[in-house]
PDB file of all heavy atoms in Angstrom:
ATOM      1  N   ALA A  57      -8.944 -29.143 -89.272  1.00 97.00           N
ATOM      2  CA  ALA A  57      -8.812 -30.090 -90.379  1.00 97.00           C
ATOM      3  C   ALA A  57      -9.376 -31.459 -90.012  1.00 97.00           C
ATOM      4  O   ALA A  57      -9.060 -32.467 -90.640  1.00 97.00           O
ATOM      5  CB  ALA A  57      -7.349 -30.214 -90.790  1.00 97.00           C
ATOM      6  N   GLY A  58     -10.244 -31.503 -88.990  1.00 96.00           N
ATOM      7  CA  GLY A  58     -10.791 -32.770 -88.512  1.00 96.00           C
ATOM      8  C   GLY A  58     -11.563 -33.537 -89.573  1.00 96.00           C
ATOM      9  O   GLY A  58     -11.608 -34.765 -89.539  1.00 96.00           O
ATOM     10  N   ARG A  59     -12.168 -32.815 -90.510  1.00 97.00           N
ATOM     11  CA  ARG A  59     -12.939 -33.480 -91.557  1.00 97.00           C
ATOM     12  C   ARG A  59     -12.079 -34.478 -92.334  1.00 97.00           C
ATOM     13  O   ARG A  59     -12.555 -35.534 -92.767  1.00 97.00           O
ATOM     14  CB  ARG A  59     -13.500 -32.422 -92.510  1.00 97.00           C
ATOM     15  CG  ARG A  59     -14.458 -32.952 -93.552  1.00 97.00           C
ATOM     16  CD  ARG A  59     -15.136 -31.814 -94.301  1.00 97.00           C
ATOM     17  NE  ARG A  59     -14.166 -30.925 -94.926  1.00 97.00           N
ATOM     18  CZ  ARG A  59     -13.505 -31.197 -96.064  1.00 97.00           C
ATOM     19  NH1 ARG A  59     -13.722 -32.339 -96.684  1.00 97.00           N
ATOM     20  NH2 ARG A  59     -12.660 -30.340 -96.563  1.00 97.00           N
ATOM     21  N   LEU A  60     -10.783 -34.159 -92.511  1.00 97.00           N
ATOM     22  CA  LEU A  60      -9.923 -35.091 -93.246  1.00 97.00           C
ATOM     23  C   LEU A  60      -9.813 -36.426 -92.515  1.00 97.00           C
ATOM     24  O   LEU A  60      -9.742 -37.474 -93.145  1.00 97.00           O
ATOM     25  CB  LEU A  60      -8.517 -34.496 -93.424  1.00 97.00           C
ATOM     26  CG  LEU A  60      -8.326 -33.575 -94.625  1.00 97.00           C
ATOM     27  CD1 LEU A  60      -9.047 -32.258 -94.441  1.00 97.00           C
ATOM     28  CD2 LEU A  60      -6.850 -33.348 -94.912  1.00 97.00           C
ATOM     29  N   LEU A  61      -9.800 -36.355 -91.171  1.00 97.00           N
ATOM     30  CA  LEU A  61      -9.720 -37.593 -90.393  1.00 97.00           C
ATOM     31  C   LEU A  61     -11.035 -38.362 -90.483  1.00 97.00           C
ATOM     32  O   LEU A  61     -11.035 -39.580 -90.618  1.00 97.00           O
ATOM     33  CB  LEU A  61      -9.393 -37.270 -88.929  1.00 97.00           C
ATOM     34  CG  LEU A  61      -8.100 -36.501 -88.675  1.00 97.00           C
ATOM     35  CD1 LEU A  61      -7.883 -36.324 -87.175  1.00 97.00           C
ATOM     36  CD2 LEU A  61      -6.908 -37.215 -89.300  1.00 97.00           C
ATOM     37  N   ASP A  62     -12.164 -37.623 -90.406  1.00 97.00           N
ATOM     38  CA  ASP A  62     -13.467 -38.293 -90.503  1.00 97.00           C
ATOM     39  C   ASP A  62     -13.589 -39.054 -91.813  1.00 97.00           C
ATOM     40  O   ASP A  62     -14.206 -40.118 -91.878  1.00 97.00           O
ATOM     41  CB  ASP A  62     -14.613 -37.268 -90.428  1.00 97.00           C
ATOM     42  CG  ASP A  62     -14.591 -36.490 -89.120  1.00 97.00           C
ATOM     43  OD1 ASP A  62     -13.987 -36.994 -88.146  1.00 97.00           O
ATOM     44  OD2 ASP A  62     -15.175 -35.383 -89.074  1.00 97.00           O
ATOM     45  N   GLU A  63     -13.042 -38.471 -92.858  1.00 97.00           N
ATOM     46  CA  GLU A  63     -13.211 -39.054 -94.190  1.00 97.00           C
ATOM     47  C   GLU A  63     -12.036 -39.934 -94.598  1.00 97.00           C
ATOM     48  O   GLU A  63     -12.030 -40.471 -95.708  1.00 97.00           O
ATOM     49  CB  GLU A  63     -13.385 -37.925 -95.219  1.00 97.00           C
ATOM     50  CG  GLU A  63     -14.665 -37.139 -94.995  1.00 97.00           C
ATOM     51  CD  GLU A  63     -14.780 -35.901 -95.881  1.00 97.00           C
ATOM     52  OE1 GLU A  63     -13.845 -35.645 -96.669  1.00 97.00           O
ATOM     53  OE2 GLU A  63     -15.806 -35.207 -95.781  1.00 97.00           O
ATOM     54  N   ALA A  64     -11.035 -40.069 -93.713  1.00 97.00           N
ATOM     55  CA  ALA A  64      -9.852 -40.865 -94.073  1.00 97.00           C
ATOM     56  C   ALA A  64     -10.246 -42.326 -94.276  1.00 97.00           C
ATOM     57  O   ALA A  64     -11.091 -42.857 -93.558  1.00 97.00           O
ATOM     58  CB  ALA A  64      -8.789 -40.755 -92.981  1.00 97.00           C
ATOM     59  N   ARG A  65      -9.637 -42.962 -95.259  1.00 97.00           N
ATOM     60  CA  ARG A  65      -9.882 -44.378 -95.478  1.00 97.00           C
ATOM     61  C   ARG A  65      -8.825 -45.160 -94.719  1.00 97.00           C
ATOM     62  O   ARG A  65      -7.633 -44.878 -94.829  1.00 97.00           O
ATOM     63  CB  ARG A  65      -9.779 -44.650 -96.978  1.00 97.00           C
ATOM     64  CG  ARG A  65     -10.141 -46.047 -97.360  1.00 97.00           C
ATOM     65  CD  ARG A  65     -10.311 -46.100 -98.882  1.00 97.00           C
ATOM     66  NE  ARG A  65      -9.478 -47.145 -99.421  1.00 97.00           N
ATOM     67  CZ  ARG A  65      -9.328 -47.380-100.719  1.00 97.00           C
ATOM     68  NH1 ARG A  65      -9.931 -46.619-101.610  1.00 97.00           N
ATOM     69  NH2 ARG A  65      -8.561 -48.357-101.136  1.00 97.00           N
ATOM     70  N   ILE A  66      -9.268 -46.125 -93.910  1.00 97.00           N
ATOM     71  CA  ILE A  66      -8.346 -46.912 -93.071  1.00 97.00           C
ATOM     72  C   ILE A  66      -8.184 -48.286 -93.702  1.00 97.00           C
ATOM     73  O   ILE A  66      -9.172 -48.917 -94.050  1.00 97.00           O
ATOM     74  CB  ILE A  66      -8.903 -47.076 -91.640  1.00 97.00           C
ATOM     75  CG1 ILE A  66      -9.495 -45.767 -91.114  1.00 97.00           C
ATOM     76  CG2 ILE A  66      -7.830 -47.611 -90.701  1.00 97.00           C
ATOM     77  CD1 ILE A  66      -8.520 -44.641 -91.016  1.00 97.00           C
ATOM     78  N   SER A  67      -6.954 -48.725 -93.858  1.00 97.00           N
ATOM     79  CA  SER A  67      -6.719 -50.056 -94.414  1.00 97.00           C
ATOM     80  C   SER A  67      -5.777 -50.816 -93.506  1.00 97.00           C
ATOM     81  O   SER A  67      -4.992 -50.224 -92.766  1.00 97.00           O
ATOM     82  CB  SER A  67      -6.076 -49.968 -95.804  1.00 97.00           C
ATOM     83  OG  SER A  67      -6.819 -49.151 -96.660  1.00 97.00           O
ATOM     84  N   GLU A  68      -5.849 -52.148 -93.599  1.00 96.00           N
ATOM     85  CA  GLU A  68      -4.931 -52.968 -92.821  1.00 96.00           C
ATOM     86  C   GLU A  68      -3.594 -53.138 -93.541  1.00 96.00           C
ATOM     87  O   GLU A  68      -2.585 -53.404 -92.915  1.00 96.00           O
ATOM     88  CB  GLU A  68      -5.547 -54.336 -92.527  1.00 96.00           C
ATOM     89  CG  GLU A  68      -6.400 -54.342 -91.284  1.00 96.00           C
ATOM     90  CD  GLU A  68      -5.681 -53.697 -90.085  1.00 96.00           C
ATOM     91  OE1 GLU A  68      -4.602 -54.183 -89.693  1.00 96.00           O
ATOM     92  OE2 GLU A  68      -6.196 -52.673 -89.568  1.00 96.00           O
ATOM     93  N   SER A  69      -3.610 -52.979 -94.872  1.00 96.00           N
ATOM     94  CA  SER A  69      -2.362 -53.170 -95.622  1.00 96.00           C
ATOM     95  C   SER A  69      -2.189 -52.061 -96.633  1.00 96.00           C
ATOM     96  O   SER A  69      -3.164 -51.452 -97.085  1.00 96.00           O
ATOM     97  CB  SER A  69      -2.376 -54.513 -96.346  1.00 96.00           C
ATOM     98  OG  SER A  69      -3.245 -54.429 -97.458  1.00 96.00           O
ATOM     99  N   LEU A  70      -0.934 -51.816 -96.995  1.00 95.00           N
ATOM    100  CA  LEU A  70      -0.653 -50.812 -98.007  1.00 95.00           C
ATOM    101  C   LEU A  70      -1.263 -51.215 -99.344  1.00 95.00           C
ATOM    102  O   LEU A  70      -1.764 -50.361-100.086  1.00 95.00           O
ATOM    103  CB  LEU A  70       0.868 -50.622 -98.133  1.00 95.00           C
ATOM    104  CG  LEU A  70       1.334 -49.666 -99.227  1.00 95.00           C
ATOM    105  CD1 LEU A  70       0.700 -48.294 -99.093  1.00 95.00           C
ATOM    106  CD2 LEU A  70       2.847 -49.542 -99.202  1.00 95.00           C
ATOM    107  N   ALA A  71      -1.245 -52.517 -99.640  1.00 93.00           N
ATOM    108  CA  ALA A  71      -1.811 -52.982-100.912  1.00 93.00           C
ATOM    109  C   ALA A  71      -3.267 -52.522-101.043  1.00 93.00           C
ATOM    110  O   ALA A  71      -3.687 -52.031-102.095  1.00 93.00           O
ATOM    111  CB  ALA A  71      -1.714 -54.501-100.999  1.00 93.00           C
TER     112      ALA A  71
END
Side-chain angles (χ1 to χ4, degrees):
Chain A
R59 187 171 57 78
L60 275 71
L61 302 183
D62 300 339
E63 295 172 359
R65 186 167 126 185
I66 317 299
S67 306
E68 273 311 301
S69 74
L70 176 55

